[in-house]
Amino acid sequence: MTTTNAQSFWQHSVPVELAEHDWCFTHVRDRIDLEAWQAFTRDIPRDPYVERRWKRMSWLALDEQGHMKSLGECPMAQGGQYNDAESMADKLRWYPALEQDFLDRPDVRAFVEAWAALWGLDANEPILMQITGVKGSGELDPLQGQGIHADGCRYLSIMVLDRDNVSGAESVLYADRAGQQQLADQVMVPGDVLHLRDDRLFHGAKALRQEDPNQPYERFIIIINSSFVDGFQNRMLRRYFPEAVIHEHIA
């Protein structure tokens, strides 16, 4: 995908809003086969670190021609200043990779390449892409202890992939970690995307509830982020991907 085509992937207002506000809501329902993507939530394994959660993740990057490539394995590493949850903070977390059939899809590759172009990423800058979600019954904190937080990067996008028998779980955006300056509070439906500058803003999600108490619920999202400011994560990236471009001044 060329840079021009990648930029046209997003609505014209997206780069303008990001430049003005550091965040925006958009959607990709007319750019991807959402139903085909949703099928890949069926075989996601349980998260071994967090109860009632399922997850796969892969480290990706652009090659010199601007095409998506896989980098291989590296753990997720979030320092305590970026994650308040005891089950996740200051731990190396390993997850199974995204399925190759998913990564080989032309619309997945186009999404990743367009996302990298939106933020101006160069070749060999690590990109973390996750499919993660919750299933079950009753009320649940979809963030499971993280609260209002940042993910420890510059560029972050969250896309709702699947949402079944769910009410609540509003995505909330703040200018401060204390939550005194709320910028947005919105229910995101499948295909919706929230882009944000994670090093300038904070985000969270409200409690999730099942609409029909006699049926289970599930909610899956895609998280994609890059240009890490978390020194813990950057140390792991340097160790596992010695050829990758890591921004030393933000490590």
Side-chain angles (χ1 to χ4, degrees), residues 126-199:
I127 298 167
L128 179 59
M129 187 176 190
Q130 309 170 51
I131 298 180
T132 182
V134 293
K135 306 178 186 179
S137 59
E139 188 169 292
L140 177 71
D141 169 13
L143 297 176
Q144 294 172 290
Q146 294 180 78
I148 299 172
H149 69 288
D151 281 16
C153 61
R154 282 181 167 174
Y155 312 127
L156 170 68
S157 298
I158 301 166
M159 170 189 157
V160 173
L161 183 56
D162 198 9
R163 180 184 169 103
D164 185 51
N165 196 35
V166 168
S167 63
E170 296 91 340
S171 297
V172 192
L173 195 63
Y174 303 91
D176 65 317
R177 190 166 188 176
Q180 298 301 307
Q181 302 175 59
Q182 181 174 300
L183 302 173
D185 181 339
Q186 182 166 316
V187 172
M188 293 173 61
V189 300
D192 283 352
V193 179
L194 170 60
H195 296 304
L196 67 142
R197 278 291 302 258
D198 184 71
D199 59 335

Side-chain angles (χ1 to χ4, degrees), residues 19-35:
E20 291 180 352
H21 309 298
D22 294 327
W23 65 276
C24 73
F25 285 104
T26 186
H27 72 86
V28 292
R29 283 180 290 275
D30 56 346
R31 298 288 191 265
I32 68 171
D33 185 339
L34 185 58
E35 185 174 352

Side-chain angles (χ1 to χ4, degrees), residues 6 14 27 41-42 53 60 67 95 98 104 123 129 153 156 163 197 199 205 218 227 230 234-235 242 245:
V14 167
H27 72 86
T41 65
R42 297 170 190 160
R53 191 165 76 176
L60 311 170
H67 301 307
Y95 294 100
L98 297 170
D104 287 341
M129 187 176 190
C153 61
L156 170 68
R163 180 184 169 103
R197 278 291 302 258
D199 59 335
E218 65 177 55
S227 194
D230 187 336
N234 277 337
R235 288 193 295 275
V245 174

Side-chain angles (χ1 to χ4, degrees), residues 47 49-51 53 55 76-80 82-93 95 130 132 141-147 149 232:
D47 188 321
Y49 308 97
V50 184
E51 293 184 3
R53 191 165 76 176
K55 186 192 288 277
M76 176 183 283
Q78 287 182 313
Y82 295 105
N83 196 323
D84 292 334
E86 290 185 7
S87 60
M88 294 176 260
D90 298 317
K91 292 179 172 64
L92 296 181
R93 290 182 285 150
Y95 294 100
Q130 309 170 51
T132 182
D141 169 13
L143 297 176
Q144 294 172 290
Q146 294 180 78
H149 69 288
F232 187 26

